[in-house]
Amino acid sequence: MLRVPYNLKLAAAPVVLPPRATTLTAAISATASFLDPSTGTTALLTGAGVSVESGIPDYRGPRGTYTLNRNHRPIFYTEFVDHHTIRKRYWARSFLGWEAVRQAKPNRVHKYVGDLIDGGWLNSLVTQNVDSLHSAYVKEVTEIHGTLSSAVCLTCGTHYNRSELQKELARLNPGWADLLEHELDRLSQQRIANPIRAFRLNPDGDLELPASISYDQFSYPTCPSCASNGTAKSKSNGAWSEENINVVFPHSKRNVKDVGVLKPDVVFFGESVEDHVRKAAEQKLQMADKILVVGSSLATYSAFRLIKENKENGKRIGIINVGPVRGEHELLTSGDLRVSFIAGDVLGGVVAIMNEQRNPLAFAN
């Protein structure tokens, strides 16, 4: 199951199901009816739109990365693993963007999802998001595209805490560290309440920078484990060495030609989802009677495939997303749900209905 970007234009006008769900009140009522536990269990699939209120942009929303920058092109997996220069570009942009990810807080949508799971209106959660914000309210989250909170060595598989890696990146790149601190100070002096939100962050945690920026002098570390056991070399300052050509593991299952390369523990575009993660996601959706999609245009094939296959197997599909969704005109049929309202507004209304049904006397007063 590959994470592949979708470059075709989505349909301009979203479907509305049921047809009466053209107001927020009607959308809330329709969603509550869809999720009603008496009609079966529901699995949830979420996308980048869920985290917009936390300051992390989506791809295709009104302020999404592709909306603001039509020429945006994410780094592909093969580019990252094959080219030292591409890795320098990624880690430089990630170094500047990490603070925005680290400081992001769960928003009302994350809380409502937790409430609906605790109340039995949702039974499981699969997310495309890499910010790990769902974990604040939900214990068991299947993150099909991984998490930015850690990095992994492509040679030995050792995982490293991303915040600790940030300290090493700052040590190796004092000029970039000064740039980050200066920019935060400048924005703070402008009395911006949350200065980090003024940065143009991408959904996968790297910062959007001008094309004129040079990354030639940026350094990133060799995997400490590979360096310590002699598998890989590092420069005298601890930076990754271009001598790390993979002659020790020529048949690495990750097919990486360089030894000791650290990669964010996320699934890049063009990279396969790990088998155990794919199976966990498939199982959660297969065990449910219905599937609700929230905050996703399903543009990434790994997510679209999951929904398409379950629809073909007779599952009811619900979608809450502002703006169009990939294949929705062919995917959705009578009995499904499709509303184009802000997820927090819809789910907040559903939680209120759920709570009223659980404790009607409290609401009567």
Side-chain angles (χ1 to χ4, degrees):
M1 184 166 71
L2 286 175
R3 186 184 184 192
V4 180
Y6 182 73
N7 297 321
L8 299 180
K9 186 176 181 180
L10 297 173
V15 174
V16 178
L17 288 173
R20 62 180 172 78
T22 56
T23 67
L24 178 59
T25 300
I28 291 171
S29 176
T31 304
S33 296
F34 180 86
L35 294 179
D36 188 341
S38 67
T39 64
T41 59
T42 305
L44 175 65
L45 173 69
T46 64
V50 164
S51 295
V52 168
E53 291 186 20
S54 296
I56 299 176
D58 56 8
Y59 283 103
R60 293 173 176 81
R63 301 289 298 173
T65 295
Y66 288 143
T67 304
L68 297 179
N69 182 7
R70 299 286 183 180
N71 296 319
H72 174 77
R73 183 182 180 279
I75 294 175
F76 279 67
Y77 178 70
T78 54
E79 295 175 322
F80 184 90
V81 300
D82 287 346
H83 301 288
H84 174 53
T85 55
I86 296 294
R87 294 195 290 269
K88 289 196 290 185
R89 175 179 178 268
Y90 174 81
W91 282 118
R93 291 157 62 106
S94 176
F95 172 70
L96 295 180
W98 170 246
E99 280 302 305
V101 177
R102 188 185 67 81
Q103 292 184 23
K105 304 297 182 185
N107 62 55
R108 57 177 179 157
V109 182
H110 300 105
K111 182 181 185 306
Y112 294 151
V113 168
D115 291 341
L116 290 167
I117 288 178
D118 291 343
W121 284 47
L122 290 172
N123 293 80
S124 59
L125 171 60
V126 176
T127 186
Q128 302 171 73
N129 299 342
V130 295
D131 50 44
S132 297
L133 293 178
H134 273 303
S135 61
Y137 294 102
V138 180
K139 291 182 179 180
E140 296 184 12
V141 184
T142 298
E143 299 171 312
I144 58 175
H145 293 156
T147 175
L148 285 168
S149 64
S150 69
V152 61
C153 174
L154 295 180
T155 300
C156 68
T158 301
H159 285 78
Y160 298 94
N161 181 279
R162 180 62 182 80
S163 290
E164 293 302 313
L165 177 58
Q166 183 77 355
K167 297 176 183 177
E168 182 64 7
L169 290 170
R171 185 188 70 81
L172 291 172
N173 303 278
W176 286 78
D178 289 344
L179 172 65
L180 177 59
E181 184 176 356
H182 173 76
E183 186 65 10
L184 289 175
D185 287 343
R186 183 184 67 81
L187 293 171
S188 295
Q189 290 171 9
Q190 294 179 6
R191 297 183 179 180
I192 297 176
N194 189 347
I196 203 71
R197 287 200 181 194
F199 286 15
R200 284 190 61 186
L201 188 70
N202 289 322
D204 283 341
D206 56 321
L207 205 65
E208 194 71 37
L209 296 176
S212 59
I213 293 291
S214 172
Y215 307 99
D216 290 346
Q217 302 305 312
F218 193 88
S219 297
Y220 60 91
T222 299
C223 166
S225 179
C226 288
S228 65
N229 65 25
T231 300
K233 296 180 180 180
S234 62
K235 294 181 179 179
S236 58
N237 63 349
W240 192 83
S241 172
E242 293 185 68
E243 297 180 44
N244 287 327
I245 303 301
N246 192 352
V247 295
V248 181
F249 301 107
H251 303 296
S252 167
K253 68 175 182 177
R254 293 181 180 272
N255 195 30
V256 181
K257 70 176 185 180
D258 296 325
V259 172
V261 171
L262 293 179
K263 171 184 169 292
D265 201 10
V266 299
V267 179
F268 275 34
F269 285 107
E271 182 180 3
S272 296
V273 176
E274 294 281 356
D275 281 346
H276 72 280
V277 176
R278 174 184 58 80
K279 291 177 181 178
E282 289 175 343
Q283 185 176 35
K284 282 186 174 182
L285 271 56
Q286 289 168 0
M287 290 179 64
D289 300 305
K290 301 164 291 182
I291 300 170
L292 178 67
V293 178
V294 176
S296 175
S297 63
L298 298 179
T300 302
Y301 187 72
S302 53
F304 177 74
R305 183 186 72 82
L306 288 171
I307 301 304
K308 183 174 181 292
E309 288 182 355
N310 278 276
K311 178 62 179 179
E312 291 172 348
N313 289 331
K315 303 286 179 70
R316 291 177 63 199
I317 305 298
I319 299 176
I320 303 173
N321 188 65
V322 176
V325 171
R326 177 179 183 174
E328 60 182 303
H329 289 267
E330 294 76 30
L331 186 67
L332 302 176
T333 57
S334 177
D336 290 333
L337 170 77
R338 175 64 171 103
V339 296
S340 186
F341 289 92
I342 295 173
D345 294 341
V346 177
L347 295 183
V350 174
V351 169
I353 291 174
M354 177 186 72
N355 290 336
E356 183 177 4
Q357 291 183 4
R358 294 166 65 181
N359 192 7
L361 293 180
F363 285 82
N365 294 330

